[in-house]
Amino acid sequence: MAAEDARYRQSTQYKLWSFSPAQLSATREKTNALAKATISERLLSRPPPAASAPTSGSNTPNPSSQMQGAGDLPEFLTPAEELRLLNHYTAELLRASDFLQYSVAIRATSAIFFRRFYVANSIMTYPPTEMLKTCLFFGNKVNGVYLHAEQFAANFPKTTAEGILAGEFLLCQGLRFAFDVKHPYRALEAAMFELERYGDVDLTRLGTASKTARDILKFSPLMTDAYFHYTPSQIMLAALSLADEELYDRVVRETFHLAHTPAFPNAPPQSRKAAAAAEEKSRLLGPEMRDKVRAAIASCRSMLAQEPPARMTGYWGTPAQTDAVKPSLRKLRKCRDPDRFDLVALHKARREQALRNGDADDEDGRVPAGSSLDGDDDAAVFGNVEERDAKRRKVKKGLEDPFGGPL
Amino acid sequence: PAKAEGPYDVFAGGDFVPDRYKLQKQVPKPPYKKDVARDPHYTTGGYDVRDYYVQAMYEAFAGLGVFVDDEKEMSGRL
């Protein structure tokens, strides 16, 4: 195993956020089914008038929405529709990022955060329009740019700092606290370093290829699931091969230059260790590995080719695109989670819950660790906490103040 | 992991030696960028273009032989 591969396998991107296509689609279907189950349970349990309140936001009066709540459930989004909406909102995010002139790293990190969040969370559960802005805000933070929340919110209409911060911790949980996203942009520059080093490549051609590949990297892998299925170096080479096939060939040829001949038959006998090292080296850099890498890059390439950068403007406000997502949006308006779609209210409910727990027997009113932040926290926020509370009180009584009693 | 026997290893076995690429003594200059290696705005502050080169080369080759689909299917967990 190559040292650099071993190191990549240690990253959170590989450990937590890399899947095979089958696994990813299975996860998405599961998320969708789970959201459907919880939302229908919630709609059925609550009184009818409150359930139809959120639909008042739509300006088209909908007779069917008034009927809803009395036992019959709305039509839910399918996983395919969720994916289409996800792509739609990813494009929106990229557009917002371009408008605010963020760097490529921030732009890409935010987009990947957004896509990762909606792997294990459904679009019906949390509002994508709000999470999009939270992703941008948090993407800045992760890249070392600490924006003022108020000023950031002022960039968007009908947005408050409160609304952006309400989703922030939720996003962190959704990301499973994996904040380091590896991008292929710097890798592309290294490919240019390498090509320049070979000495016989036309420099203007290099400049053009680099620019085209960068444009591809700025759009295609963010709009597809490339980050989930391929490593940054493979994505970079796939983009390079789309930009200039010959240059890509050259890089691969120079990298995997060793022919697969274990040892020279007439060479003086080596020590066993040296022979093993040479064998390993030729396995890493030989033709077999080269063909496997080529195959992976070819499939990545066909994935990127589905979303060429020319399509970018197609996502924005064209009648065709609007018509494509409109039915899904209309459906979403009816089937979203009544309790959790409003992030600000949800955040407030959680805080109040935590504070109420704290007030009961905590003088300083601090939020007890893990009170409403556990994975299974529905009960804590939406009532039914007496049991847990009693337990905590019992535990607390036994605890002494670690710094001794008051003087 | 540090070996129990053998010569003393300064890096305690944690030294990173790339397998698929070799760093050049001189950082090659990409043709389309301005030459920050000789720009006093950068050099007087202590910016070293070599560090950028090392990082970029690592990123270009890291995970080239990692085949996510096969490996994740084989390990069978999400």
Side-chain angles (χ1 to χ4, degrees):
Chain A
M1 194 201 309
E4 50 267 33
D5 288 355
R7 200 186 251 194
Y8 179 73
R9 285 200 185 91
Q10 302 285 319
S11 66
T12 49
Q13 183 155 330
Y14 178 79
K15 283 183 175 167
L16 299 177
W17 290 108
S18 295
F19 317 101
S20 72
Q23 285 169 332
L24 183 64
S25 62
T27 315
R28 282 189 172 141
E29 266 161 38
K30 210 171 108 198
T31 303
N32 180 269
L34 217 62
K36 262 187 215 169
T38 35
I39 294 173
S40 16
E41 191 183 306
R42 219 158 267 183
L43 285 178
L44 289 176
S45 67
R46 65 174 39 219
S52 60
T55 47
S56 62
S58 67
N59 44 12
T60 46
N62 221 324
S64 66
S65 70
Q66 257 92 58
M67 310 274 287
Q68 170 202 320
D72 58 352
L73 289 165
E75 205 181 330
F76 289 108
L77 293 177
T78 62
E81 282 172 321
E82 281 205 55
L83 192 59
R84 196 180 308 136
L85 280 179
L86 181 69
N87 281 340
H88 170 72
Y89 282 113
T90 314
E92 288 288 301
L93 186 149
L94 295 180
R95 183 158 71 114
S97 174
D98 283 351
F99 171 69
L100 297 169
Q101 301 186 324
Y102 290 151
S103 71
V104 277
I106 292 173
R107 186 176 181 271
T109 307
S110 311
I112 294 302
F113 279 176
F114 187 70
R115 290 188 84 87
R116 283 182 180 178
F117 180 79
Y118 282 111
V119 168
N121 291 286
S122 167
I123 285 190
M124 296 182 281
T125 313
Y126 296 115
T129 42
E130 305 302 314
M131 289 316 288
L132 178 164
K133 294 173 225 165
T134 305
C135 282
L136 273 174
F137 183 67
F138 199 67
N140 269 289
K141 270 193 181 178
V142 162
N143 282 286
V145 180
Y146 298 91
L147 298 172
H148 198 287
E150 302 274 357
Q151 284 163 11
F152 175 77
N155 291 319
F156 303 99
K158 285 190 272 175
T159 307
T160 57
E162 196 190 8
I164 288 180
L165 296 176
E168 195 176 32
F169 188 71
L170 192 71
L171 174 69
C172 294
Q173 288 178 308
L175 297 174
R176 297 202 264 168
F177 298 94
F179 299 145
D180 186 11
V181 187
K182 309 217 178 289
H183 299 299
Y185 303 108
R186 217 178 287 133
L188 179 67
E189 303 214 350
M192 296 300 128
F193 280 135
E194 281 292 88
L195 283 162
E196 211 265 338
R197 184 175 67 80
Y198 303 151
D200 54 354
V201 185
D202 181 27
L203 293 188
T204 47
R205 180 180 185 180
L206 215 54
T208 325
S210 146
K211 199 178 169 309
T212 320
R214 198 176 160 83
D215 283 344
I216 294 170
L217 288 179
K218 275 169 76 176
F219 184 71
S220 308
L222 305 177
M223 290 298 295
T224 57
D225 291 329
Y227 272 62
F228 292 119
H229 305 323
Y230 303 99
T231 63
S233 51
Q234 288 165 353
I235 295 172
M236 180 273 286
L237 285 175
L240 182 61
S241 85
L242 278 172
D244 195 326
E245 183 89 42
E246 270 177 48
L247 293 182
Y248 155 73
D249 265 343
R250 187 77 200 275
V251 173
V252 171
R253 231 179 320 125
E254 297 271 351
T255 306
F256 299 97
H257 55 280
L258 286 188
H260 193 69
T261 43
F264 303 100
N266 299 329
Q270 296 163 299
S271 73
R272 215 201 274 136
K273 215 170 153 195
E279 176 75 26
E280 173 70 4
K281 194 103 189 156
S282 72
R283 200 183 62 74
L284 283 178
L285 301 176
E288 264 173 47
M289 190 53 136
R290 183 191 63 205
D291 295 341
K292 258 182 104 176
V293 169
R294 268 184 183 286
I297 290 171
S299 73
C300 180
R301 180 196 152 112
S302 59
M303 181 179 264
L304 296 188
Q306 287 166 11
E307 296 279 349
R311 272 184 58 119
M312 174 139 64
T313 46
Y315 272 99
W316 299 341
T318 56
Q321 181 59 22
T322 323
D323 288 347
V325 289
K326 222 173 210 163
S328 311
L329 284 176
R330 206 173 296 134
K331 252 167 117 181
L332 173 65
R333 216 171 281 139
K334 273 185 248 160
C335 70
R336 58 195 177 186
D337 191 310
D339 292 320
R340 283 189 258 194
F341 215 75
D342 187 352
L343 287 180
V344 176
L346 174 67
H347 189 60
K348 215 173 254 170
R350 286 198 172 150
R351 284 185 71 140
E352 269 166 20
Q353 186 62 51
L355 279 177
R356 216 173 326 128
N357 290 349
D359 279 344
D361 48 0
D362 217 12
E363 290 90 347
D364 52 7
R366 258 184 305 129
V367 178
S371 61
S372 68
L373 311 176
D374 312 339
D376 194 27
D377 55 356
D378 277 5
V381 178
F382 306 117
N384 186 20
V385 274
E386 284 75 20
E387 258 175 71
R388 230 145 50 101
D389 226 24
K391 213 187 229 170
R392 191 184 300 116
R393 226 169 275 138
K394 220 185 274 169
V395 172
K396 266 206 120 172
K397 253 177 213 155
L399 285 175
E400 290 285 313
D401 189 279
F403 298 106
L407 289 174
Chain B
K3 276 179 230 150
E5 46 197 89
Y8 172 66
D9 182 2
V10 219
F11 296 105
D15 191 14
F16 178 71
V17 184
D19 283 322
R20 291 213 181 84
Y21 63 95
K22 235 188 193 147
L23 294 170
Q24 306 299 308
K25 288 237 163 56
Q26 279 284 317
V27 177
K29 193 181 98 56
Y32 53 91
K33 290 196 96 176
K34 73 173 179 188
D35 190 3
V36 293
R38 266 171 282 285
D39 186 339
H41 286 105
Y42 288 79
T43 48
T44 45
Y47 176 81
D48 191 350
V49 75
R50 202 175 156 76
D51 283 341
Y52 183 83
Y53 174 59
V54 170
Q55 177 69 18
M57 285 296 280
Y58 164 72
E59 287 184 12
F61 290 93
L64 202 53
V66 171
F67 306 105
V68 172
D69 296 2
D70 304 346
E71 291 172 22
K72 289 282 169 174
E73 278 293 338
M74 235 174 331
S75 68
R77 55 169 214 93
L78 290 182

